[in-house]
Structure formats: structure tokens, C-alpha cells
Amino acid sequence: MQNVRNVKLPDPRLISGIVQTAVFGGAGAYGLYHSLFNVEGGHRAIVYNRFVGIREKIFAEGTHPMIPWIERPITYDVRARAHQISSHSGSRDLQMVNITLRVLTRPDASKLPTIYRNLGTDFNERVLPSIVHETLKSVVAQYNASQLITQREQVSLAVRSQLIQRAAGFNMLLDDVSITALTFGREYTAAIEAKQVAQQEAERAKFIVEKAKQDKRSAVIRAEGEAKSAKLIGEAIASNPAFITLRKIEAARDIAQTMSESNNRVMLNADSLLLNLADMEKKATK
């Protein structure tokens, strides 16, 4: 017990100093950590102050100071983001059309305080669906269903122009607007298919008629040629009996050539070769 009483305790002032240093040092480190904020690449930031509200200054990429517990940063991604929205609209000829639109949007970096006050950070989800549906219905109603197909580029330009104007009212920038899908109702699609089939059948019937006409003309020309040929042969035989002999010689030559090219051996007399020239000479002398 005597030894315990003789132990010297540390100076209370030293312990108090250590505790104060640790507390104030920790508070300082915490304050310093929360007095800076970073803005990543492709982003912009605005600062909300508890006393004055949203500050008008826009912070670019990098590290920036702020007042801890009084100010907090609000970061926006200012890079273009793709959104795909589908709309069911009616054409001028009362045909229902399903259109899918792909839009690249980004906020106007110089208007971020206004965007936050009016729309918040989820401005795309709040604004895009409504203005895209309204624009598509307005543009599609100006065209027939067939024009939406044949004039697709013109329709896309009209949608882009109106959509850019509408988005500008909400401080949003549109980098690209394109129609990715365009389909019609089941009834209209079936009608188009039936029309295509009817056109193909009509073209086929027209081809058959033209072919029949050409065959008829060919038969007439062939018959006229054969009649003329027969007439000339008759006139040649009447004027010169040797014409038949010449024809027999030509026929015999063709038969002989055919037989010579054959692998089989065939024995033929003069009658089979259509020659029989001796009989012809006797008839000629008589």
C-alpha cells in the first residue's frame, strides 16, 4: 500500500493539453477535408449555401474550396447522354404509327443554377418524355403513312428542329436526334402486304400476256418464212430439176459425216445414202 501511494501520476495539465490537441487537430482535419470538393472530368458543379441559396458561380473541373457545414456542392454531368423514347402517334390519314426516337442530350453548362432551381438533377427524366411525345405527335400528324416511309429524312429533320426549340426552353442542348424504328399497326401492315401481292400478280399477268403476244408473232413469222421457203423450193425445182439432185448430195454428205464420227461400223448402200446417182442419170437421159 505504501508503494501505491508513492506512485506519481502524470500532470493533469499535460493530459488536458494532449486531449485538447487531439480534439482540435481532429476537428481541423475534418474541417479541412470538408472544405474542399472535387469536380471530375466532364462534370460541372454549383454550390448551395445555407444562407444565400444557390450561388451563381459554376465550378469547372478540379479541386475547389467551400465553407464546411454551410455550403455543399451539386455536381452535373455535362457530357452527352443517349435516351431512347417510343411514342404511339396518329398520321394524317388516321393510321397509328409506333416511332422510337434516339436523342443525345446534355445540360447547358452556363445555366446550371437555373436548371437546379426549376428541374433539379433529374431534369432529363422530367422533361424529355413529355417534349418528345408532344413533338412526335405534332410532326407525325402532318404526314400520311406512306410519306413517313418515303420522306423519312424530312420527317427526322422536322422532329429535330422542333425538339431543339422545345428543349432550349428548359436549358437543354440536343446534339443528335434520329428515328431508330418506325412501324405501323397490324391492319395497315396487312393492307400493304396485300397491295404488294396484288401488284406482283398484276405484273405477272402482264408478263404472261406480253409473252403470248410475242409467241404469236414468232409463230406467224415462222409460218411466213416456211411458206416463202416452200414457194422458193418449188420454183427452183420447176425451173431446174437438178436442184433435187443437189439436195440429195447435201443430205448424203451429212449422213456420211455423221456415220464417220460414230464408233460403230455401218454398211449402207447408195439408196440408204440417198445417192443412187446412176438412176438419176438414166432418168435424165430418158
Side-chain angles (χ1 to χ4, degrees):
M1 294 295 295
Q2 187 67 27
N3 294 333
V4 173
R5 291 176 182 178
N6 293 331
V7 174
K8 293 183 178 180
L9 296 175
D11 188 356
R13 290 177 296 178
L14 178 61
I15 297 175
S16 176
I18 294 173
V19 172
Q20 290 179 2
T21 301
V23 171
F24 286 110
Y30 181 83
L32 180 63
Y33 176 78
H34 285 82
S35 64
L36 299 173
F37 68 93
N38 293 325
V39 180
E40 302 294 335
H43 293 70
R44 296 292 184 273
I46 55 177
V47 172
Y48 172 76
N49 187 291
R50 294 180 183 274
F51 299 107
V52 299
I54 297 295
R55 295 170 56 184
E56 294 298 327
K57 182 178 179 181
I58 299 171
F59 295 87
E61 302 167 0
T63 301
H64 306 278
M66 67 176 180
I67 303 174
W69 304 291
I70 297 178
E71 294 181 337
R72 62 181 176 87
I74 302 168
T75 305
Y76 277 88
D77 187 350
V78 295
R79 294 171 295 187
R81 298 174 59 188
H83 302 270
Q84 190 163 308
I85 302 174
S86 299
S87 177
H88 193 64
S89 307
S91 63
R92 189 170 62 183
D93 54 353
L94 304 180
Q95 297 295 334
M96 300 311 297
V97 185
N98 296 316
I99 299 182
T100 301
L101 204 66
R102 183 178 181 272
V103 185
L104 286 178
T105 64
R106 56 187 174 89
D108 187 350
S110 62
K111 304 291 185 181
L112 290 181
T114 303
I115 293 176
Y116 183 78
R117 291 191 187 100
N118 298 332
L119 301 173
T121 56
D122 56 345
F123 58 94
N124 281 324
E125 289 73 13
R126 292 189 178 190
V127 174
L128 270 183
S130 59
I131 65 175
V132 168
H133 287 304
E134 181 180 354
T135 301
L136 285 177
K137 291 181 183 297
S138 174
V139 173
V140 171
Q142 303 175 15
Y143 296 88
N144 294 330
S146 59
Q147 292 176 333
L148 292 175
I149 300 176
T150 59
Q151 302 178 17
R152 181 165 179 167
E153 183 177 358
Q154 182 177 344
V155 174
S156 180
L157 290 176
V159 171
R160 175 188 175 91
S161 176
Q162 291 193 22
L163 203 55
I164 288 177
Q165 293 179 1
R166 290 299 310 277
F170 298 94
N171 301 309
M172 295 170 58
L173 304 176
L174 271 66
D175 293 335
D176 182 65
V177 178
S178 59
I179 298 175
T180 58
L182 178 63
T183 58
F184 298 93
R186 184 179 302 174
E187 295 79 5
Y188 184 75
T189 303
I192 292 178
E193 292 177 354
K195 181 179 179 181
Q196 293 293 331
V197 171
Q199 289 179 348
Q200 292 176 1
E201 292 293 337
E203 292 294 331
R204 182 181 178 185
K206 183 178 179 181
F207 172 76
I208 293 174
V209 171
E210 290 295 329
K211 185 175 181 299
K213 290 181 179 179
Q214 294 296 331
D215 292 341
K216 183 178 179 181
R217 292 174 184 172
S218 299
V220 171
I221 294 173
R222 190 182 304 110
E224 291 177 352
E226 292 176 353
K228 186 174 182 180
S229 176
K231 181 180 178 182
L232 294 175
I233 292 173
E235 293 177 354
I237 293 173
S239 61
N240 187 5
F243 179 77
I244 296 178
T245 304
L246 178 61
R247 284 300 179 92
K248 284 187 175 184
I249 293 173
E250 292 176 352
R253 183 180 59 189
D254 294 338
I255 294 173
Q257 183 178 358
T258 302
M259 299 303 299
S260 64
E261 294 175 353
S262 175
N263 295 327
N264 300 324
R265 292 186 178 182
V266 180
M267 303 299 294
L268 298 176
N269 56 20
D271 293 333
S272 299
L273 288 174
L274 300 179
L275 287 175
N276 201 9
L277 298 178
D279 292 343
M280 293 181 183
E281 291 179 356
K282 291 180 181 178
K283 291 180 181 179
T285 55
K286 290 179 180 181

